[in-house]
Every structure is written in structure tokens, then in C-alpha cells.
């Protein structure tokens, strides 16, 4: 493990560009593998999670190659996935695992899924339940976790499934299984979650029906579908941009432009909450790229104030709470968060991991069952010092690196390795911006 101390920095200035969106990158590879012919992807995130998806798709017959700056995927069509010869190595990636389980479920193949210690603790029943209703047979480890074996059913049975948890991964797993299932598969989504699957499937020629009644969405696909290849441009990941937006907000004198940030309304909650806290964010050159809204964000240092975060906004910033907690630790007044039980089953238990990490770094934090309450430092640097345990969780690592920038003594991470899962050049960009 490579430990590293992140020390107080000068202002963050200049222009940076964060890597491609992780959620969109996974989907671009998967859908390319299901289309008949060649899809091109530019701006693909080359992080470990996305590379795990690429390797698994190759093991099931897709041809995926880097071609200069772009990636090309040669797919053979829905229904053509081959049985992998070895277990699919999912590393740290819940998205790869759950979405690929959906794909395997409606193909006549059997695949084993394995992952690292973090992924092997995460609940998979949430996808096993609906995929079993569709006819797949899944044998997980005790507790419903990886390693597991998924035996697909072809033809599978279409279902209408109401999501018991607000999860884009579960929604997507069922819809992806539906692509090769004769008849109409419907997911009922009481609380909106990221809609990249729906948007991108349309780009690949799939007729995705979305009906909205009383705030609920009914999302349907009628299979088996034919998918046409598509050229995808992946926008910058708002979840990665969030670390820099918070860093620029809390380090005095900062004035940073983060270019090409995806601002899908199902993903941009962090920026809305930061603005409620008093952050200075300008949206420059708003445009659309690859069917997703995008802008360059100019973020300047500002005095942040504590807020009560509306739990209804949580799905649109579900991965950004760790870094929001860091912003709250530097704000004036108290920030209260609630309704965040899902954070306990991410790459780590992010409520307890962040409570412990912020405590080590000298912030005042109280852990509750469904959220954290943080009393801010009033704009002053937190003390820092101590070693933070990152629990194989990239977002804990990057959030606490940002905390180190606005601390007196710096913050040491026990390991920087997890960062490579989603943001391999994070440290380089941080050094570039804080130079
Ligand atoms: C993702 C959905 C979210 C998110 C994850 C990526 C996706 O997970 O936390 O990082 O790409 O669909 P849940 O669906 O479990 O909330």
C-alpha cells in the first residue's frame, strides 16, 4: 500500500479537464458489445472499474480495442454473448458486476463473478431477486455476495419490477436483461436515479418507453431488440469534478475552471447543494455532448455555510456525499444529512468511514444511523494530522485528500491505490491545479 500525505496547498487556479464519466463509460462498452458492428467511443474513462467491464466483455466475445485516443468496440449483437472460460474479475466495481449480471441473466450462458475484498462484501440480492424472477439461477456466497455464479435463461421471462431501493444499477440490470427477453420488461422507479442507460440505449436504436405518473417512472424495453452501432462522446465525470469543485471552494484564493463536466439533472445534486451552501459556481458554455448536458464550471473560493440537505436530492449526488462532508467540515455552522442508508453499502460504509476519517483530521462530526451531522470550522483550516483508513474506497481517499489541502498539518491516506478505480490522474491534476 502506498501511503501519502496531502498537505495545505496554494489556491487552485487555471483550467483542468477531468476524465470521462464512469457510468457512461461502462454503458458505452456494454452497448457497443451488443450492437451489430463497430461503435467508437471517445473520452472513455480508462480507470480500473471500466477496464474490468472491457475485459469481461472481451471474455464473452466482444472485440474491444484502444485506437489512438478512442476506443472501438465490435459487437456481434444481442443474444450472442459467449460463455466465458474463466471467472469474470470485477475488481472493485459494483457497476460492472450488477450490469453484467443483468446481461448474462438472459443469455444461455453461465458466468462466475469474483471481486476484491470491498466488492465481495456488497449486497447482490438486489439484482439477484429480479433476475431470478426472469428465470436466471444465481448461486451467491453466504450473505448474497460475490463470489457468485449466474446461470442465464434464454429465453428469459419479461417482468414488471418495482425498485425497492433507489438504484440505477438495479434498474439497469433489469433493463439490460430485458434487451434479450421476448416481450416487455418494465422497471417502475418511484425515485428518479441516473438515466444514462435510458438515454444511451436510444442512441443505439432501442425504443425505450418512459411513462411518468405521480412522480413515478415506468421504463420499458420490448425484446429481443436489435441494436445499431453508435459513436459515443463521453462527457467529464461530475463525480470526479466534485472533488475539484469542493477543493476550489475551500482553499482561499482559488479560481478554477473545470472543463467539460456532465450536468445530467440526475447527477448534478452536488453542485446544487454547494450553491445552497454559498459556493461560487458559474456554468460556462453550456452545451450538449453525446445526449448529455455539459458545461465548463468556474469555481471560486467562497465562504460556505452549513445546510440541512434535503434527502430527496440524495440519488442525484449519491457518490458525492463523502466530499460534501469535507465541504461541510470547513463551513460556517452545522450541516445535517439524513436518508443516506445506501451509503453504508457502497465501496465502503461511507458514513462510518467518513465519520472516522473526519474525526482523525480534527473535524467535528456525529454519525447517525442514516447520515452525518457536521459542525463546520467556520472557514478555518481543520487541524489535520493522523492517518486516514480508506477501506479500498476511491471516494474516501480523494475526499480526504481534498480535506488535507484545507488543513493545518495535512492529511495522510493509508493508501492511494483505490484512486485508480475511477480517477487515475487525480493526484497529477491536483498538483497541476494547486501549483
Ligand atoms: C451507478 C449507480 C450508483 C452509483 C455508482 C454508479 C451506475 O449505484 O453509486 O457509482 O453507474 O449505475 P446504485 O445504483 O447502487 O445507487
Amino acid at each position: 500500500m502506498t501511503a501519502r500525505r496531502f498537505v495545505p496547498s496554494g489556491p487552485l487556479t487555471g483550467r483542468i479537464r477531468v476524465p470521462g464519466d464512469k457510468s457512461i463509460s461502462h454503458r458505452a462498452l456494454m452497448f457497443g458489445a451488443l450492437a451489430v458492428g463497430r461503435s467508437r467511443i471517445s473520452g472513455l474513462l480508462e480507470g480500473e472499474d471500466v477496464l474490468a467491464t472491457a475485459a469481461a466483455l472481451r471474455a464473452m466475445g466482444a472485440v474491444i480495442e484502444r485506437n489512438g485516443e478512442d476506443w472501438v468496440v465490435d459487437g456481434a449483437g444481442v443474444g450472442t454473448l459467449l460463455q466465458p472460460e474463466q471467472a469474470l474479475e470485477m475488481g472493485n466495481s459494483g457497476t460492472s458486476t450488477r450490469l453484467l449480471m443483468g446481461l448474462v441473466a438472459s443469455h444461455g450462458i453461465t458466468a462466475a463473478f469474483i471481486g476484491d475484498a470491498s466488492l465481495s462484501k456488497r449486497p447482490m440480492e438486489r439484482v439477484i431477486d429480479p433476475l431470478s424472477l426472469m428465470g436466471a439461477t444465481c448461486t451467491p456466497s453466504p450473505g448474497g455476495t460475490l463470489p457468485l455464479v449466474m446461470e442465464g435463461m434464454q429465453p428469459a421471462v419479461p417482468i414488471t419490477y418495482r425498485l425497492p431501493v433507489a438504484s440505477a444499477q438495479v434498474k439497469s440490470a433489469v433493463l439490460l436483461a430485458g434487451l434479450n427477453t421476448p416481450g416487455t420488461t418494465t422497471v417502475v422507479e418511484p425515485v428518479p436515479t441516473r438515466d444514462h442507460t435510458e438515454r444511451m440505449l436510444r442512441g443505439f436504436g432501442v425504443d425505450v418507453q418512459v411513462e411518468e405518473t405521480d412522480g413515478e417512472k415506468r421504463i420499458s424495453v420490448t425484446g429481443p431488440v436489435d441494436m445499431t452501432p453508435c459513436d459515443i462522446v463521453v462527457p467529464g465525470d461530475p463525480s470526479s469534478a466534485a472533488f475539484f469543485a469542493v477543493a476550489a471552494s475551500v482553499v482561499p484564493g482559488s479560481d478554477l475552471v473545470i472543463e467539460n463536466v456532465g450536468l445530467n439533472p440526475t447527477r448534478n445534486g452536488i453542485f446544487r447543494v454547494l450553491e445552497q451552501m454559498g459556493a461560487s459556481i458559474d456554468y460556462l458554455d453550456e452545451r450538449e455532448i453525446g445526449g448529455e448536458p455539459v458545461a465548463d464550471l468556474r469555481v471560486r473560493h467562497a465562504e460556505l455555510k452549513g445546510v440541512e440537505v434535503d434527502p430527496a436530492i440524495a440519488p442525484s449526488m449519491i457518490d458525492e456525499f463523502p466530499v460534501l462532508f469535507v465541504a461541510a467540515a470547513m463551513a460556517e455552522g452545522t450541516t445535517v444529512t439524513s436518508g443516506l442508508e445506501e451509503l453504508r453499502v457502497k465501496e465502503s460504509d461511507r458514513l462510518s468511514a467518513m465519520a472516522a476519517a473526519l474525526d482523525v483530521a480534527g473535524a467535528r462530526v456525529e454519525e447517525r444511523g442514516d447520515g452525518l451531522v457536521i459542525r463546520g470550522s467556520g472557514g478555518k483550516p481543520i487541524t489535520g494530522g493522523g492517518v486516514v483508513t480508506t477501506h479500498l474506497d476511491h471516494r474516501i481517499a480523494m475526499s480526504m485528500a481534498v480535506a488535507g489541502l484545507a488543513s493545518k498539518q495535512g492529511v495522510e491516506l493509508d493508501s492511494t491505490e483505490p484512486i485508480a478505480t475511477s480517477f487515475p490522474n487525480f493526484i497529477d491534476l491536483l498538483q497541476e491545479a494547486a501549483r
Side-chain angles (χ1 to χ4, degrees):
M1 291 208 301
T2 314
R4 186 181 176 113
R5 178 167 289 274
F6 289 83
V7 294
S9 82
L12 287 91
T13 56
R15 302 178 77 88
I16 58 160
R17 194 168 262 250
V18 296
D21 189 282
K22 180 155 77 71
S23 294
I24 295 177
S25 296
H26 284 297
R27 288 160 172 81
L29 290 172
M30 290 181 199
F31 299 169
L34 296 176
V36 184
R38 173 163 292 195
S39 297
R40 281 183 191 74
I41 310 168
S42 67
L44 187 86
L45 168 63
E46 295 175 356
E48 288 169 3
D49 281 13
V50 173
L51 297 179
T53 288
L57 291 168
R58 282 193 192 108
M60 292 190 282
V63 178
I64 301 177
E65 274 162 13
R66 197 177 204 273
N67 186 350
E69 290 297 293
D70 293 348
W71 286 70
V72 290
V73 183
D74 289 298
V78 169
T80 65
L81 293 183
L82 303 176
Q83 175 144 325
E85 282 172 13
Q86 271 150 13
L88 303 176
E89 173 55 82
M90 300 284 94
N92 189 252
S93 180
T95 310
S96 310
T97 308
R98 295 192 178 120
L99 271 57
L100 290 171
M101 283 171 69
L103 281 186
V104 169
S106 62
H107 281 73
I109 60 174
T110 297
F113 291 80
I114 56 175
D116 72 5
S118 150
L119 183 59
S120 301
K121 283 191 221 145
R122 299 182 66 186
M124 295 298 151
E125 295 99 333
R126 52 181 61 199
V127 281
I128 295 173
D129 290 349
L131 298 176
S132 302
L133 292 172
M134 297 179 80
T137 305
C138 189
T139 316
S141 296
T145 56
L146 262 52
L148 64 75
V149 175
M150 166 72 74
E151 194 186 326
M153 168 72 100
Q154 192 169 356
V157 184
I159 58 169
T160 294
Y161 191 69
R162 194 186 165 85
L163 293 179
V165 276
S167 166
Q169 293 180 354
V170 179
K171 167 175 68 178
S172 302
V174 175
L175 292 174
L176 294 197
L179 296 175
N180 195 37
T181 300
T184 301
T185 297
T186 302
V187 176
V188 182
E189 188 179 56
V191 179
T193 65
R194 66 190 67 194
D195 62 357
H196 306 301
T197 295
E198 299 91 305
R199 285 178 189 244
M200 202 190 291
L201 278 176
R202 292 201 179 106
F204 279 86
V206 179
D207 179 19
V208 182
Q209 295 289 332
V210 181
E211 278 171 37
E212 226 171 316
T213 29
D214 302 332
E216 279 196 355
K217 278 190 187 161
R218 292 175 67 86
I219 307 147
S220 304
V221 292
T222 300
V225 301
D226 287 324
M227 290 175 65
T228 43
C230 183
D231 289 348
I232 301 278
V233 182
V234 182
D237 197 325
S239 300
S240 298
F243 299 110
F244 284 89
V246 169
S249 296
V250 299
V251 175
S254 295
D255 185 351
L256 182 70
V257 175
I258 315 166
E259 295 175 348
N260 193 39
V261 181
L263 289 173
N264 182 312
T266 63
R267 295 288 300 284
N268 68 3
I270 181 65
F271 305 116
R272 290 185 269 146
V273 171
L274 286 172
E275 286 180 298
Q276 275 169 24
M277 295 175 80
S280 164
I281 305 179
D282 294 319
Y283 298 85
L284 311 177
D285 191 15
E286 294 184 65
R287 55 206 186 264
E288 193 162 294
I289 292 183
E292 298 275 345
V294 167
D296 300 333
L297 304 192
R298 180 179 181 192
V299 186
R300 281 174 277 187
H301 170 255
E303 308 281 326
L304 300 184
K305 289 189 182 49
V307 289
E308 188 162 342
V309 180
D310 180 356
I313 207 168
S316 68
M317 56 176 289
I318 196 67
D319 291 334
E320 286 65 73
F321 280 95
V323 80
L324 175 76
F325 297 147
V326 171
M330 321 282 173
E332 169 89 52
T334 301
T335 294
V336 181
T337 59
S338 59
L340 302 181
E341 295 86 349
E342 270 295 299
L343 293 198
R344 296 204 182 273
V345 291
K346 294 295 180 185
E347 285 82 329
S348 67
D349 174 343
R350 287 183 172 161
L351 293 180
S352 82
M354 281 305 296
L358 285 171
D359 185 58
V360 162
R364 292 176 298 172
V365 49
E366 178 202 333
E367 181 180 346
R368 294 185 177 165
D370 67 341
L372 299 187
V373 176
I374 297 171
R375 280 186 295 146
S377 65
K380 297 189 199 67
I382 54 173
T383 319
V387 180
V388 164
T389 309
T390 49
H391 300 280
L392 290 175
D393 188 334
H394 53 135
R395 302 206 193 279
I396 303 296
M398 290 185 276
S399 300
M400 292 310 296
V402 169
L405 302 185
S407 68
K408 289 189 192 125
Q409 299 166 20
V411 168
E412 183 169 332
L413 306 186
D414 64 346
S415 164
T416 54
E417 277 85 1
I419 293 173
T421 62
S422 69
F423 199 163
N425 63 339
F426 169 77
I427 295 176
D428 292 344
L429 274 187
L430 203 56
Q431 282 171 341
E432 188 183 316
R435 198 166 37 206

